[in-house]
Amino acid sequence: MPEIVAITGATGFIGRAIVRHLHEAGYPLRALVRSDASRRLLQGQVEEFIAGDLSDLGALEQLASGASAVVHCAGVVRGVTQADFDRVNVEGVRRLVTVLRQPGRPTRLLSLSSLAAREPQLSFYALSKRRGEQVLEQEGEGLQWLALRPPAVYGPGDRELVPLLRLMARGLAPVPGRREARFSMLYVEDLARLVHAWLRRDAVDSGLYSLHDGRAGGYSWAEVAAIVEGICGRRVRLLPLPATLLSLLARANRRFAPLLGRAPMLTPEKLRELRHPDWVCDNEAIGRVLDWSPRVGLEEGLRNTPGWR
Ligand SMILES: NC(=O)c1ccc[n+]([C@@H]2O[C@H](COP(=O)([O-])OP(=O)(O)OC[C@H]3O[C@@H](n4cnc5c(N)ncnc54)[C@H](OP(=O)(O)O)[C@@H]3O)[C@@H](O)[C@H]2O)c1
């Protein structure tokens, strides 16, 4: 009988996929949740709920107590200032590390970083993810930690990529940067399987690990458009978006963010990330330490992703 696994961010897109997978694999789960609605969402898949968020040291202590490992999926992907991101993506990791370094706590931590952390100069988000990794590197002594650097993750439950896919299904693929830009992708269930593989393995060298769907060299926009064409049976044309227009939109978003009452996705910093020409990663290091290889390529993954065609 597997021991209890603690999880943060269980209500998020990636967290929910991990919860589903681990629950089906027979792991008892304990989740940190911020609302009753979150409890209802996860009811039946999660054994125990701890009320609180990443700023609540007491809640994190309860979350970790008696667990065999912690899977840290909570994070913010939208924000306007560096502080918006650091509060959760850096300080959240630091608090978890502080809790796990106390005697009698689990020493295994898998934390979701991002491939964006490889280019911390590009955006507030990217820098916050890199700083979160640095907390593990500098303060994680005595822990067996793993910081995963996924590229763009997609699949059932995704909200970020689906609007873009909807446009593609209607025949237009907006290209925010250079046409020849390349990027890796990952189907969410393959990420969940990797977490399971990590739990099964007793000891894994602490460190930063990138991962992708098995396509070495990633994809170009034209290659993604061709896959969508095959699925939808219609021509998909690339539509390069003018840099000045995007920049205007991003600046307007930031300016009016306080009026909108919610953090916008497209900000000037996010735009630099989107226009970066190389988001390709590899599976070499992760393949050496875990018995895992991706199973779902982009075409199959897109066919399994509802809500866009
Ligand atoms: N999606 C991607 O393509 C991708 C790629 C690379 C890396 N990542 C990383 O993977 C992680 C999960 O991403 P996602 O796409 O699943 O994000 P998401 O859907 O926005 O989910 C975020 C999760 O974090 C929780 N959360 C946010 N702030 C919190 C706080 N202060 N205390 C406790 N919980 C908090 C949210 O809880 P509530 O439900 O209560 O709001 C939610 O469960 C993030 O760290 C992200 O940086 C994502």
Side-chain angles (χ1 to χ4, degrees):
M1 173 77 180
E3 289 173 83
I4 200 147
V5 172
I7 181 162
T8 71
T11 48
F13 159 52
I14 295 177
R16 286 193 69 186
I18 293 173
V19 163
R20 257 192 324 268
H21 188 97
L22 295 183
H23 169 69
E24 278 165 20
Y27 284 84
L29 299 172
R30 180 190 291 153
L32 182 75
V33 286
R34 301 200 285 180
S35 67
D36 287 342
S38 300
R39 282 173 197 252
R40 286 195 291 277
L41 196 70
L42 299 166
Q43 206 71 52
Q45 296 182 322
V46 166
E47 262 71 10
E48 285 178 43
F49 294 98
I50 305 296
D53 70 17
L54 288 170
S55 65
D56 182 346
L57 217 50
L60 295 182
E61 279 167 0
Q62 285 181 54
L63 180 76
S65 178
S68 58
V70 178
V71 179
H72 177 42
C73 301
V76 287
V77 295
R78 289 167 184 252
V80 178
T81 65
Q82 185 69 57
D84 291 340
F85 291 99
D86 286 357
R87 207 171 296 123
V88 179
N89 296 347
V90 186
E91 294 314 315
V93 177
R94 178 166 286 121
R95 273 189 212 96
L96 261 180
V97 167
T98 305
V99 164
L100 297 185
R101 288 190 66 184
Q102 291 165 14
R105 299 267 188 259
T107 54
R108 304 195 71 201
L109 170 65
L110 182 148
S111 181
L112 276 185
S113 181
S114 166
L115 188 58
R118 193 177 73 186
E119 308 288 349
Q121 75 288 358
L122 289 178
S123 68
F124 295 146
Y125 170 72
L127 181 58
S128 73
K129 295 309 267 186
R130 178 64 196 130
R131 286 178 172 163
E133 294 176 348
Q134 285 170 330
V135 169
L136 293 165
E137 289 169 336
Q138 292 159 13
E139 300 168 32
E141 202 189 328
L143 301 182
Q144 202 202 104
W145 59 266
L146 205 82
L148 289 183
R149 284 182 162 185
V153 182
Y154 71 98
D158 166 51
R159 287 176 302 243
E160 305 297 344
L161 227 58
V162 158
L164 179 68
L165 290 171
R166 279 199 195 118
L167 271 176
M168 285 195 179
R170 284 168 185 72
L172 272 187
V175 178
R178 293 188 216 155
R179 288 173 88 103
E180 65 279 12
R182 298 197 73 83
F183 43 89
S184 297
M185 310 267 307
L186 182 66
Y187 187 60
V188 71
E189 183 61 22
D190 272 332
L191 176 50
R193 285 181 43 252
L194 184 140
V195 175
H196 189 186
W198 174 76
L199 286 169
R200 283 199 307 263
R201 182 59 71 93
D202 286 339
V204 178
D205 290 343
S206 292
L208 312 176
Y209 293 92
S210 63
L211 64 161
H212 64 67
D213 66 359
R215 172 132 165 167
Y219 302 86
S220 67
W221 286 105
E223 287 161 358
V224 175
I227 290 172
V228 172
E229 278 180 359
I231 296 172
C232 297
R234 66 174 296 173
R235 174 129 192 264
V236 180
R237 290 171 39 192
L238 296 189
L239 176 70
L241 299 174
T244 40
L245 175 73
L246 283 174
S247 169
L248 262 174
L249 251 174
R251 275 186 281 149
N253 266 345
R254 184 164 64 190
R255 177 125 191 240
F256 296 115
L259 303 180
L260 295 173
R262 74 189 210 109
M265 195 60 196
L266 188 71
T267 59
E269 297 73 29
K270 187 73 193 174
L271 188 55
R272 278 207 294 275
E273 235 182 72
L274 283 173
R275 293 176 57 80
H276 188 65
D278 172 19
W279 285 120
V280 175
C281 61
D282 66 66
N283 281 339
E284 275 169 41
I286 199 75
R288 279 197 297 274
V289 297
L290 284 183
D291 182 18
W292 172 86
S293 52
R295 288 186 189 159
V296 181
L298 188 57
E299 179 172 351
E300 184 185 346
L302 289 180
R303 287 187 190 276
N304 292 344
T305 302
W308 66 277
R309 64 189 167 111

